[in-house]
Amino acid sequence: MKNVVVVGSQWGDEGKGKIVDWLSSESDAVVRFQGGHNAGHTLVVDGVTYKLRLLPSGIVRKNKISIIGNGVVIDPWALIDEIKEIKSKGVDISEKNLIISETANLILPFHRELDEIREDAAGKTKIGTTRRGIGPAYEDKIGRRSIRVIDLASEKFLDSRLENALTHHNLIRKSLGKEIFQKDKIKKDLIKIAPQILKFAQPVWKKIDELKSFKKKILFEGAQGILLDVDHGTYPFVTSSNTVSSSAATGSGCGPNSINYILGITKAYTTRVGAGPFPTELTDDIGEELGKMGNEFGTVTSRKRRCGWLDGVLVRQTIKISGINSIALTKLDVLDQLNEIKICVEYELNGKKIDYFPASALDQLNIKPVYKVFKGWKSSTKGINKFEDLPENAKIYIKEIENFLQIKISSISTSPERKDTILIENPFEI
């Protein structure tokens, strides 16, 4: 048995979808363990494109169990819409292949509105939230006033939980001059949708324990990237959950000894969506070219991504924080036509060289990247699936990444197509 966690080693959008899809075909169950419908994967399977937001990547493959863990916050209406959308493409979704944790917390309309109100009022201090209510829902979870999936099973208990939540939210809304939410309207809407959600609800921890006892292969699928982790990311420009690999255990209800291998997905350059520090950002023609060639637009929001050189210091740091065993290098082909390529190998801060990304938000904005420069290969790597067939300068670039990060590269992606992958090491077979 080998259970694998997949996490993004940058600010998300590293191309996890393709890698997760390949690994899901090797696994028996795929578990989503954190985040909400603010992050997504784009999968291309047999020529059909699937854009997933809440559903785990295993859902598009037959005979796989897909699990939404307790660490995920769920907008029930968004989930039902996504299920309908994926079903319309010929995918079977039922209680046999989709399980939702009965203790997962719900995103409700007042969470979405609060998210929008705060972001609109933030002015120049905007975080860049997707306005989907993720942060406010996690706040309610920590504040112990959240509505959980299992609460939908009792109208009386649901009424009590809504009363508690709205006491808090309506006070905020009144102070902002906003109309208060009516409990009966929300309760009616939730009762209406409850059967469609509850039919998938189970004790996920119990299901995972059962899968382990039968020696099944489990893939734990992270959303976003480690640099958006609420503790270890570029705070406050982060998401509202822990995106590191250890969250796979807490977000699904299994012990850390259930995790056997951690794969970090790393883009051959760097992107981020929304506000926040970005030491290697390129605001010139090269940055525009990377965005164009890499089709750098968000799966969920369609927002244009900021682009820059690979920040080796940041990735090395996330590897250590998340205990990553190897990385899957993606989007190598996007660099094909560049004359030269750079990797950030250290920073300069107040005239001094440092080898790590500082915690201070002020220092993060003031650091300057120090680069190592490489000659481009000026030829296509698209579709190559053997390392020896790569251009010599591409091999040099890849080997330098390995050496600097002090970690093995287990696969290299040379196009969005699943077949266009140089596979060096299969995490499930180690």
Side-chain angles (χ1 to χ4, degrees), residues 286-305:
I286 295 175
E288 285 293 318
E289 183 68 10
L290 286 174
K292 180 181 176 183
M293 296 302 296
N295 191 30
E296 296 296 351
F297 296 91
T299 298
V300 173
T301 64
S302 297
R303 287 187 295 179
K304 185 178 179 181
R305 297 172 187 144

Side-chain angles (χ1 to χ4, degrees), residues 11 126-127 234 237 272 274-278 281 306 365:
W11 278 291
K126 278 182 170 63
I127 289 175
T234 48
F237 301 98
R272 88 170 292 176
F278 187 169
E281 183 174 12
R306 300 155 63 191
L365 291 171

Side-chain angles (χ1 to χ4, degrees), residues 62-334:
K62 291 182 179 179
N63 304 316
K64 309 291 179 186
I65 297 173
S66 291
I67 299 172
I68 299 176
N70 55 276
V72 179
V73 284
I74 300 170
D75 182 321
W77 295 278
L79 177 59
I80 295 304
D81 286 345
E82 186 175 342
I83 289 172
K84 289 177 181 176
E85 177 188 333
I86 301 304
K87 274 187 169 182
S88 72
K89 297 190 176 188
V91 176
D92 178 53
I93 301 176
S94 70
E95 300 92 310
K96 292 181 180 179
N97 67 341
L98 177 62
I99 297 171
I100 300 173
S101 172
E102 57 189 8
T103 58
N105 293 261
L106 300 182
I107 300 172
L108 300 178
F110 47 79
H111 294 131
R112 293 195 299 270
E113 286 200 19
L114 182 58
D115 210 355
E116 292 173 355
I117 291 166
R118 284 176 174 169
E119 191 73 352
D120 289 339
K124 292 183 179 180
T125 60
K126 278 182 170 63
I127 289 175
T129 171
T130 55
R131 299 169 178 259
R132 281 165 168 74
I134 311 297
Y138 274 117
E139 287 178 39
D140 276 4
K141 175 181 179 177
I142 299 303
R144 293 165 292 189
R145 55 181 169 268
S146 185
I147 314 298
R148 304 196 297 175
V149 169
I150 195 63
D151 298 338
L152 299 176
S154 167
E155 183 176 340
K156 183 178 180 181
F157 191 68
L158 176 61
D159 187 273
S160 171
R161 297 302 300 155
L162 280 171
E163 186 79 42
N164 184 48
L166 288 176
T167 297
H168 171 81
H169 281 274
N170 280 337
L171 278 173
I172 296 174
R173 295 181 67 84
K174 282 180 182 178
S175 71
L176 295 171
K178 303 294 181 181
E179 186 179 347
I180 67 169
F181 264 91
Q182 300 299 323
K183 181 186 67 175
D184 289 346
K185 171 66 168 63
I186 300 174
K187 186 172 81 169
K188 181 180 177 182
D189 291 342
L190 283 171
I191 290 171
K192 183 178 179 181
I193 203 171
Q196 299 176 68
I197 300 295
L198 286 170
K199 68 180 182 179
F200 298 111
Q202 285 189 37
V204 159
W205 66 268
K206 196 169 185 296
K207 185 63 180 180
I208 291 177
D209 188 60
E210 176 188 309
L211 290 166
K212 285 167 57 182
S213 70
F214 286 107
K215 308 290 186 189
K216 299 297 184 182
K217 295 177 182 177
I218 305 172
L219 175 65
F220 294 90
E221 174 186 11
Q224 299 146 315
I226 297 168
L227 292 172
L228 292 174
D229 185 279
V230 69
D231 286 304
H232 303 288
T234 48
Y235 192 90
F237 301 98
V238 293
T239 192
S240 300
S241 61
N242 286 111
T243 59
V244 291
S245 60
S246 52
S247 295
T250 54
S252 60
C254 65
N257 61 347
S258 300
I259 299 166
N260 308 111
Y261 193 97
I262 301 164
L263 177 66
I265 314 301
T266 305
K267 195 180 289 187
Y269 51 102
T270 309
T271 62
R272 88 170 292 176
V273 172
F278 187 169
T280 63
E281 183 174 12
L282 295 168
T283 56
D284 56 10
D285 291 343
I286 295 175
E288 285 293 318
E289 183 68 10
L290 286 174
K292 180 181 176 183
M293 296 302 296
N295 191 30
E296 296 296 351
F297 296 91
T299 298
V300 173
T301 64
S302 297
R303 287 187 295 179
K304 185 178 179 181
R305 297 172 187 144
R306 300 155 63 191
C307 298
W309 297 119
L310 176 64
D311 192 327
V313 180
L314 271 175
V315 175
R316 186 175 61 189
Q317 191 161 317
T318 62
I319 286 169
K320 296 180 186 298
I321 287 169
S322 215
I324 291 170
N325 296 105
S326 75
I327 64 170
L329 189 68
T330 63
K331 291 199 167 185
L332 181 71
D333 55 300
V334 174

Side-chain angles (χ1 to χ4, degrees), residues 329-381:
L329 189 68
T330 63
K331 291 199 167 185
L332 181 71
D333 55 300
V334 174
L335 305 178
D336 282 350
Q337 299 309 315
L338 297 180
N339 292 316
E340 65 176 25
I341 300 164
K342 300 179 182 181
I343 300 176
C344 174
V345 293
E346 62 183 349
Y347 300 129
E348 185 178 292
L349 177 63
N350 301 325
K352 295 181 180 180
K353 298 290 179 63
I354 59 173
D355 62 357
Y356 68 97
F357 192 68
S360 164
L362 184 61
D363 287 346
Q364 290 174 3
L365 291 171
N366 288 330
I367 56 175
K368 296 178 181 178
V370 178
Y371 291 112
K372 187 169 183 177
V373 182
F374 299 83
K375 289 182 179 179
W377 41 92
K378 299 291 288 182
S379 60
S380 177
T381 61

Side-chain angles (χ1 to χ4, degrees), residues 406-422:
Q406 300 173 326
I407 199 167
K408 182 183 293 186
I409 293 176
S410 54
S411 65
I412 303 163
S413 176
T414 56
S415 96
E417 295 295 326
R418 186 179 158 198
K419 62 181 176 61
D420 296 336
T421 303
I422 299 169

